[in-house]
Structures are given as C-alpha cells and as structure tokens.
Amino acid sequence: MGIVVIGDVFIDVKGYSTAPFIPGGRNAGEIQQIHGGVGRNVVEDIANIELKPTFVSLVDDDAMGEEVIRKLDRHKVDTRFMRKVPNGMGTWLAVFDQDGDVVASISKRPDHRPIERILEECGDEIFQNADSVVIEIDIDKEIVKKTFHYAEKYGKKVYALVSNMTIAMERRDFLRKTACFVCNQQEAGILFSEDYDGLSPEEMAECLTKRIQSAHIPKMVVTMGSEGAAYADQEGNHGVYPAKKVDVVDTTGAGDAFFAGVCVGLTYGKTLREACAIGTRLSSTVICTSDNICPRFMPEEFGLDR
C-alpha cells in the first residue's frame, strides 16, 4: 500500500504582484488557482517519485472535488479511501510580493469529521499493509488518536508535520510517538518556547540535540529556508544539510516537498542526513515554479530500497 498520508485537500487561490507590492494599494499581477493542501501536496510529491502512496482525505462533492481525485489517480495515488462530502476541501487565498513571499493570506479549513469515520470503517485495511504513515499532527485530535492507535496495533512508524503549531503544542504526547517530526525554525521556537531568530544552522542543530532529549522526540528536522535544515536524533547524531541555490518564484509547497523527501528516505532505509538530502532536492524543484509539488523522479535517482 506504500506510504499512507492522512490530511487535507485545499484549493489555493494565489495572486502574484508583478511590481513592488504596495500594502493597502492596488497591485497589478497574475492570479492562479491550483490544487493544494499540506496532505495533498505531500502525497503527490511522494507519488512523483513513483512510490504509489495511499491518501486518506476528503474533497467537495462537486466537479472540483472530482478533478482533484482524477489528478491524483493520474499520478498513481491510491484514492480508495477518499470521500466526496460537503465542505470536504479547504480554501487558501494568498497574495505574494514580487519576491515570491506571502504578504497576506486567509484560510478556510474543511470539516474533518468524515475522515474519522473512514478510519473507523477501514482502519485495519489501511494500516496493516502500510509502509509508514504520515499525518498532519494538528488535524482533529480524534483522528490523530485513531491514527496512532492503528499504527501501534500494526507496528507502523508515523511521520508528522504541522500547519498550526499552536494546536500541535497540545499534542506533545503524540509527538513523542512519532518516528520523525519536521517543522520550520519559527515553529520550533513556538514548540520549545524559545527565540531561535538569528541562530546559525549549526547552532540550531546543537540546540535541537538538547531539546529533543528533554522533549523525548525521537528525531526532528528544522527547516531554515535558504540556510538549509538542521537535524538531530535521540542518539546524539545531528548536523546541517545545506539548501540548494535556485531562483525563487513561489515558496508555497516547498516545506511539504522537503517533508515528503524526509519521510520517503526514512521509510525506505536512508539515514536522517540522507533523508534530508532527498527533501532538499525535492523542495528546491518546487520553489523555482508556481506549482505546489515537485516534478517526476524515479526512486533509483535517490537510491531508494523499496
């Protein structure tokens, strides 16, 4: 069944300013509407390495929802556990400045309750043949609880990422059960109640080594934008993986692609540093386009042992 991803589908409406952005003013530019959502981005990134993941999620019961499923099917995502329901998808409205950075956004979250029913009805089938499990740790708590219940029942590793760290902070007991947790520098500061602004990647890695020991988080990676990523595990292994230098068009989805690469690497036998290398390569291909996902790769390009 490959890697199982549990998460959201969003429709992203993105406006790009073609001149220096004027807050509160009229800005000429371009507007695009594309498929998004953290879970959807991650599952399609994994599928684009020809690894045939499974997606547990929801879409709207309309033509747009059907279009999302068809696209995932074309990318060889197993969509058997997706459901069409009212308010199944979220919406993200974002405005970008001329440098590709978000200057304003509004997000509408979907109704997650049907995902809980999917797990109640199909949990054994979904988890028993999974290679590993991915979940947005800030999704509804009952869904997180059921995910870890089935993962423990079948001995599957869970990899977690976050959209809202304020919610994730209330899930520390679940973070301790993850095989690896990935977040950005600002989110790490919120999690550990510290200010990490100004830290070098090397300093972040040293700090992370100590913090995950006290927090009992097995492995953790902190992304630091153009400075790369810091990583550490409970055995004391830690380090920095540098970012690739590319021309930035749109950073949306880069963190999701990085996470997908880390998850893929760890699931299929790579070290944490090697997994960060895969994540870095995937994310670097996302930020130089306006799309949310990486292009196609073959698993052999990353030396993956499926």
Side-chain angles (χ1 to χ4, degrees), residues 9 11 57-69 82-90 110 114:
V9 174
I11 296 300
S57 188
L58 309 170
V59 294
D60 288 347
D61 54 349
D62 59 15
M64 182 69 77
E66 181 62 35
E67 180 186 339
V68 170
I69 292 178
M82 296 184 69
R83 299 291 182 266
K84 302 174 187 177
V85 298
N87 192 31
M89 298 189 300

PDB file of all heavy atoms in Angstrom, residues 9 11 57-69 82-90 110 114:
ATOM      1  N   VAL A   9      -7.146  18.391   1.637  1.00  0.00           N
ATOM      2  CA  VAL A   9      -7.088  18.952   0.287  1.00  0.00           C
ATOM      3  C   VAL A   9      -7.565  20.401   0.381  1.00  0.00           C
ATOM      4  O   VAL A   9      -8.582  20.679   1.011  1.00  0.00           O
ATOM      5  CB  VAL A   9      -7.983  18.176  -0.694  1.00  0.00           C
ATOM      6  CG1 VAL A   9      -8.013  18.888  -2.047  1.00  0.00           C
ATOM      7  CG2 VAL A   9      -7.492  16.744  -0.856  1.00  0.00           C
ATOM      8  N   ILE A  11      -7.965  24.146  -2.066  1.00  0.00           N
ATOM      9  CA  ILE A  11      -7.822  24.850  -3.327  1.00  0.00           C
ATOM     10  C   ILE A  11      -7.102  26.150  -3.009  1.00  0.00           C
ATOM     11  O   ILE A  11      -7.548  26.937  -2.181  1.00  0.00           O
ATOM     12  CB  ILE A  11      -9.188  25.134  -3.985  1.00  0.00           C
ATOM     13  CG1 ILE A  11      -9.877  23.819  -4.349  1.00  0.00           C
ATOM     14  CG2 ILE A  11      -9.019  26.012  -5.222  1.00  0.00           C
ATOM     15  CD1 ILE A  11      -9.106  22.937  -5.325  1.00  0.00           C
ATOM     16  N   SER A  57      -8.442  11.128   2.774  1.00  0.00           N
ATOM     17  CA  SER A  57      -8.782  12.547   2.770  1.00  0.00           C
ATOM     18  C   SER A  57     -10.191  12.756   2.239  1.00  0.00           C
ATOM     19  O   SER A  57     -10.923  11.797   1.962  1.00  0.00           O
ATOM     20  CB  SER A  57      -7.772  13.329   1.917  1.00  0.00           C
ATOM     21  OG  SER A  57      -7.960  14.718   2.039  1.00  0.00           O
ATOM     22  N   LEU A  58     -10.542  14.023   2.090  1.00  0.00           N
ATOM     23  CA  LEU A  58     -11.876  14.421   1.638  1.00  0.00           C
ATOM     24  C   LEU A  58     -11.767  15.434   0.510  1.00  0.00           C
ATOM     25  O   LEU A  58     -10.802  16.193   0.439  1.00  0.00           O
ATOM     26  CB  LEU A  58     -12.661  15.063   2.789  1.00  0.00           C
ATOM     27  CG  LEU A  58     -12.726  14.301   4.108  1.00  0.00           C
ATOM     28  CD1 LEU A  58     -13.331  15.182   5.187  1.00  0.00           C
ATOM     29  CD2 LEU A  58     -13.533  13.012   3.948  1.00  0.00           C
ATOM     30  N   VAL A  59     -12.784  15.445  -0.358  1.00  0.00           N
ATOM     31  CA  VAL A  59     -12.937  16.505  -1.356  1.00  0.00           C
ATOM     32  C   VAL A  59     -14.397  16.933  -1.371  1.00  0.00           C
ATOM     33  O   VAL A  59     -15.273  16.236  -0.846  1.00  0.00           O
ATOM     34  CB  VAL A  59     -12.513  16.052  -2.775  1.00  0.00           C
ATOM     35  CG1 VAL A  59     -11.026  15.768  -2.823  1.00  0.00           C
ATOM     36  CG2 VAL A  59     -13.310  14.822  -3.225  1.00  0.00           C
ATOM     37  N   ASP A  60     -14.672  18.081  -1.978  1.00  0.00           N
ATOM     38  CA  ASP A  60     -16.054  18.534  -2.121  1.00  0.00           C
ATOM     39  C   ASP A  60     -16.809  17.598  -3.058  1.00  0.00           C
ATOM     40  O   ASP A  60     -16.220  16.988  -3.964  1.00  0.00           O
ATOM     41  CB  ASP A  60     -16.092  19.951  -2.684  1.00  0.00           C
ATOM     42  CG  ASP A  60     -15.648  20.995  -1.674  1.00  0.00           C
ATOM     43  OD1 ASP A  60     -15.542  20.649  -0.480  1.00  0.00           O
ATOM     44  OD2 ASP A  60     -15.397  22.151  -2.083  1.00  0.00           O
ATOM     45  N   ASP A  61     -18.102  17.522  -2.858  1.00  0.00           N
ATOM     46  CA  ASP A  61     -18.940  16.661  -3.715  1.00  0.00           C
ATOM     47  C   ASP A  61     -19.394  17.443  -4.945  1.00  0.00           C
ATOM     48  O   ASP A  61     -20.603  17.610  -5.196  1.00  0.00           O
ATOM     49  CB  ASP A  61     -20.133  16.113  -2.921  1.00  0.00           C
ATOM     50  CG  ASP A  61     -20.955  17.215  -2.257  1.00  0.00           C
ATOM     51  OD1 ASP A  61     -20.494  18.378  -2.230  1.00  0.00           O
ATOM     52  OD2 ASP A  61     -22.055  16.915  -1.774  1.00  0.00           O
ATOM     53  N   ASP A  62     -18.424  17.915  -5.722  1.00  0.00           N
ATOM     54  CA  ASP A  62     -18.726  18.674  -6.929  1.00  0.00           C
ATOM     55  C   ASP A  62     -17.650  18.403  -7.975  1.00  0.00           C
ATOM     56  O   ASP A  62     -16.783  17.538  -7.786  1.00  0.00           O
ATOM     57  CB  ASP A  62     -18.831  20.178  -6.627  1.00  0.00           C
ATOM     58  CG  ASP A  62     -17.560  20.764  -6.016  1.00  0.00           C
ATOM     59  OD1 ASP A  62     -16.501  20.098  -6.069  1.00  0.00           O
ATOM     60  OD2 ASP A  62     -17.614  21.898  -5.502  1.00  0.00           O
ATOM     61  N   ALA A  63     -17.703  19.137  -9.078  1.00  0.00           N
ATOM     62  CA  ALA A  63     -16.767  18.906 -10.179  1.00  0.00           C
ATOM     63  C   ALA A  63     -15.323  19.181  -9.766  1.00  0.00           C
ATOM     64  O   ALA A  63     -14.405  18.482 -10.209  1.00  0.00           O
ATOM     65  CB  ALA A  63     -17.150  19.782 -11.371  1.00  0.00           C
ATOM     66  N   MET A  64     -15.118  20.169  -8.909  1.00  0.00           N
ATOM     67  CA  MET A  64     -13.761  20.475  -8.456  1.00  0.00           C
ATOM     68  C   MET A  64     -13.188  19.312  -7.645  1.00  0.00           C
ATOM     69  O   MET A  64     -12.038  18.931  -7.808  1.00  0.00           O
ATOM     70  CB  MET A  64     -13.752  21.747  -7.616  1.00  0.00           C
ATOM     71  CG  MET A  64     -12.375  22.170  -7.138  1.00  0.00           C
ATOM     72  SD  MET A  64     -11.291  22.758  -8.450  1.00  0.00           S
ATOM     73  CE  MET A  64     -11.987  24.403  -8.702  1.00  0.00           C
ATOM     74  N   GLY A  65     -14.015  18.735  -6.766  1.00  0.00           N
ATOM     75  CA  GLY A  65     -13.565  17.588  -5.995  1.00  0.00           C
ATOM     76  C   GLY A  65     -13.223  16.411  -6.885  1.00  0.00           C
ATOM     77  O   GLY A  65     -12.224  15.722  -6.665  1.00  0.00           O
ATOM     78  N   GLU A  66     -14.041  16.181  -7.893  1.00  0.00           N
ATOM     79  CA  GLU A  66     -13.788  15.092  -8.842  1.00  0.00           C
ATOM     80  C   GLU A  66     -12.490  15.331  -9.604  1.00  0.00           C
ATOM     81  O   GLU A  66     -11.713  14.400  -9.861  1.00  0.00           O
ATOM     82  CB  GLU A  66     -14.963  14.964  -9.815  1.00  0.00           C
ATOM     83  CG  GLU A  66     -14.820  13.841 -10.832  1.00  0.00           C
ATOM     84  CD  GLU A  66     -14.737  12.465 -10.184  1.00  0.00           C
ATOM     85  OE1 GLU A  66     -15.402  12.246  -9.148  1.00  0.00           O
ATOM     86  OE2 GLU A  66     -13.997  11.611 -10.713  1.00  0.00           O
ATOM     87  N   GLU A  67     -12.222  16.579  -9.947  1.00  0.00           N
ATOM     88  CA  GLU A  67     -10.992  16.913 -10.662  1.00  0.00           C
ATOM     89  C   GLU A  67      -9.760  16.612  -9.809  1.00  0.00           C
ATOM     90  O   GLU A  67      -8.751  16.103 -10.308  1.00  0.00           O
ATOM     91  CB  GLU A  67     -11.000  18.393 -11.048  1.00  0.00           C
ATOM     92  CG  GLU A  67      -9.760  18.836 -11.796  1.00  0.00           C
ATOM     93  CD  GLU A  67      -9.745  20.339 -12.040  1.00  0.00           C
ATOM     94  OE1 GLU A  67     -10.813  20.970 -12.006  1.00  0.00           O
ATOM     95  OE2 GLU A  67      -8.637  20.882 -12.251  1.00  0.00           O
ATOM     96  N   VAL A  68      -9.844  16.908  -8.506  1.00  0.00           N
ATOM     97  CA  VAL A  68      -8.724  16.619  -7.600  1.00  0.00           C
ATOM     98  C   VAL A  68      -8.432  15.121  -7.591  1.00  0.00           C
ATOM     99  O   VAL A  68      -7.275  14.687  -7.702  1.00  0.00           O
ATOM    100  CB  VAL A  68      -9.026  17.112  -6.171  1.00  0.00           C
ATOM    101  CG1 VAL A  68      -7.978  16.594  -5.185  1.00  0.00           C
ATOM    102  CG2 VAL A  68      -9.070  18.638  -6.122  1.00  0.00           C
ATOM    103  N   ILE A  69      -9.470  14.310  -7.468  1.00  0.00           N
ATOM    104  CA  ILE A  69      -9.288  12.859  -7.420  1.00  0.00           C
ATOM    105  C   ILE A  69      -8.720  12.332  -8.736  1.00  0.00           C
ATOM    106  O   ILE A  69      -7.815  11.488  -8.751  1.00  0.00           O
ATOM    107  CB  ILE A  69     -10.615  12.157  -7.073  1.00  0.00           C
ATOM    108  CG1 ILE A  69     -11.003  12.479  -5.627  1.00  0.00           C
ATOM    109  CG2 ILE A  69     -10.498  10.649  -7.271  1.00  0.00           C
ATOM    110  CD1 ILE A  69     -12.324  11.869  -5.197  1.00  0.00           C
ATOM    111  N   MET A  82     -10.589   8.085  -0.157  1.00  0.00           N
ATOM    112  CA  MET A  82     -11.023   9.472  -0.221  1.00  0.00           C
ATOM    113  C   MET A  82     -12.548   9.492  -0.364  1.00  0.00           C
ATOM    114  O   MET A  82     -13.127   8.605  -0.982  1.00  0.00           O
ATOM    115  CB  MET A  82     -10.375  10.201  -1.395  1.00  0.00           C
ATOM    116  CG  MET A  82      -8.858  10.309  -1.291  1.00  0.00           C
ATOM    117  SD  MET A  82      -8.124  11.284  -2.641  1.00  0.00           S
ATOM    118  CE  MET A  82      -8.732  12.928  -2.240  1.00  0.00           C
ATOM    119  N   ARG A  83     -13.173  10.497   0.215  1.00  0.00           N
ATOM    120  CA  ARG A  83     -14.633  10.597   0.174  1.00  0.00           C
ATOM    121  C   ARG A  83     -15.051  11.974  -0.319  1.00  0.00           C
ATOM    122  O   ARG A  83     -14.417  12.986  -0.009  1.00  0.00           O
ATOM    123  CB  ARG A  83     -15.229  10.358   1.567  1.00  0.00           C
ATOM    124  CG  ARG A  83     -14.919   8.987   2.146  1.00  0.00           C
ATOM    125  CD  ARG A  83     -15.632   7.881   1.398  1.00  0.00           C
ATOM    126  NE  ARG A  83     -15.371   6.566   1.982  1.00  0.00           N
ATOM    127  CZ  ARG A  83     -14.410   5.732   1.590  1.00  0.00           C
ATOM    128  NH1 ARG A  83     -13.610   6.106   0.594  1.00  0.00           N
ATOM    129  NH2 ARG A  83     -14.240   4.568   2.161  1.00  0.00           N
ATOM    130  N   LYS A  84     -16.168  12.015  -1.079  1.00  0.00           N
ATOM    131  CA  LYS A  84     -16.744  13.278  -1.551  1.00  0.00           C
ATOM    132  C   LYS A  84     -17.857  13.689  -0.590  1.00  0.00           C
ATOM    133  O   LYS A  84     -18.844  12.970  -0.429  1.00  0.00           O
ATOM    134  CB  LYS A  84     -17.309  13.094  -2.956  1.00  0.00           C
ATOM    135  CG  LYS A  84     -16.289  12.618  -3.980  1.00  0.00           C
ATOM    136  CD  LYS A  84     -16.964  12.316  -5.311  1.00  0.00           C
ATOM    137  CE  LYS A  84     -15.999  11.690  -6.291  1.00  0.00           C
ATOM    138  NZ  LYS A  84     -16.663  11.319  -7.577  1.00  0.00           N
ATOM    139  N   VAL A  85     -17.676  14.832   0.047  1.00  0.00           N
ATOM    140  CA  VAL A  85     -18.633  15.313   1.050  1.00  0.00           C
ATOM    141  C   VAL A  85     -18.766  16.829   0.942  1.00  0.00           C
ATOM    142  O   VAL A  85     -17.870  17.506   0.425  1.00  0.00           O
ATOM    143  CB  VAL A  85     -18.182  14.948   2.485  1.00  0.00           C
ATOM    144  CG1 VAL A  85     -18.112  13.444   2.675  1.00  0.00           C
ATOM    145  CG2 VAL A  85     -16.832  15.585   2.805  1.00  0.00           C
ATOM    146  N   PRO A  86     -19.859  17.404   1.443  1.00  0.00           N
ATOM    147  CA  PRO A  86     -19.955  18.867   1.503  1.00  0.00           C
ATOM    148  C   PRO A  86     -18.862  19.430   2.409  1.00  0.00           C
ATOM    149  O   PRO A  86     -18.549  18.858   3.442  1.00  0.00           O
ATOM    150  CB  PRO A  86     -21.353  19.103   2.106  1.00  0.00           C
ATOM    151  CG  PRO A  86     -22.112  17.840   1.827  1.00  0.00           C
ATOM    152  CD  PRO A  86     -21.101  16.733   1.889  1.00  0.00           C
ATOM    153  N   ASN A  87     -18.272  20.531   2.010  1.00  0.00           N
ATOM    154  CA  ASN A  87     -17.205  21.183   2.768  1.00  0.00           C
ATOM    155  C   ASN A  87     -16.038  20.234   3.033  1.00  0.00           C
ATOM    156  O   ASN A  87     -15.425  20.244   4.089  1.00  0.00           O
ATOM    157  CB  ASN A  87     -17.735  21.744   4.100  1.00  0.00           C
ATOM    158  CG  ASN A  87     -16.752  22.678   4.779  1.00  0.00           C
ATOM    159  OD1 ASN A  87     -15.974  23.371   4.117  1.00  0.00           O
ATOM    160  ND2 ASN A  87     -16.750  22.693   6.098  1.00  0.00           N
ATOM    161  N   GLY A  88     -15.728  19.408   2.039  1.00  0.00           N
ATOM    162  CA  GLY A  88     -14.628  18.453   2.199  1.00  0.00           C
ATOM    163  C   GLY A  88     -13.257  19.062   1.960  1.00  0.00           C
ATOM    164  O   GLY A  88     -12.252  18.530   2.429  1.00  0.00           O
ATOM    165  N   MET A  89     -13.210  20.181   1.233  1.00  0.00           N
ATOM    166  CA  MET A  89     -11.934  20.820   0.919  1.00  0.00           C
ATOM    167  C   MET A  89     -11.848  22.197   1.572  1.00  0.00           C
ATOM    168  O   MET A  89     -12.862  22.869   1.749  1.00  0.00           O
ATOM    169  CB  MET A  89     -11.759  20.973  -0.602  1.00  0.00           C
ATOM    170  CG  MET A  89     -11.738  19.651  -1.343  1.00  0.00           C
ATOM    171  SD  MET A  89     -11.279  19.794  -3.098  1.00  0.00           S
ATOM    172  CE  MET A  89     -12.543  20.872  -3.751  1.00  0.00           C
ATOM    173  N   GLY A  90     -10.641  22.592   1.898  1.00  0.00           N
ATOM    174  CA  GLY A  90     -10.410  23.936   2.396  1.00  0.00           C
ATOM    175  C   GLY A  90     -10.045  24.869   1.258  1.00  0.00           C
ATOM    176  O   GLY A  90      -9.857  24.452   0.111  1.00  0.00           O
ATOM    177  N   PRO A 110     -11.472  22.701   6.155  1.00  0.00           N
ATOM    178  CA  PRO A 110     -12.605  21.822   5.848  1.00  0.00           C
ATOM    179  C   PRO A 110     -13.148  21.139   7.102  1.00  0.00           C
ATOM    180  O   PRO A 110     -12.560  21.230   8.187  1.00  0.00           O
ATOM    181  CB  PRO A 110     -11.985  20.796   4.899  1.00  0.00           C
ATOM    182  CG  PRO A 110     -10.561  20.706   5.359  1.00  0.00           C
ATOM    183  CD  PRO A 110     -10.184  22.095   5.797  1.00  0.00           C
ATOM    184  N   PRO A 114     -15.643  13.432   8.614  1.00  0.00           N
ATOM    185  CA  PRO A 114     -15.733  12.208   7.802  1.00  0.00           C
ATOM    186  C   PRO A 114     -14.446  11.393   7.764  1.00  0.00           C
ATOM    187  O   PRO A 114     -14.493  10.173   7.548  1.00  0.00           O
ATOM    188  CB  PRO A 114     -16.098  12.747   6.418  1.00  0.00           C
ATOM    189  CG  PRO A 114     -16.817  14.035   6.693  1.00  0.00           C
ATOM    190  CD  PRO A 114     -16.083  14.621   7.859  1.00  0.00           C
TER     191      PRO A 114
END
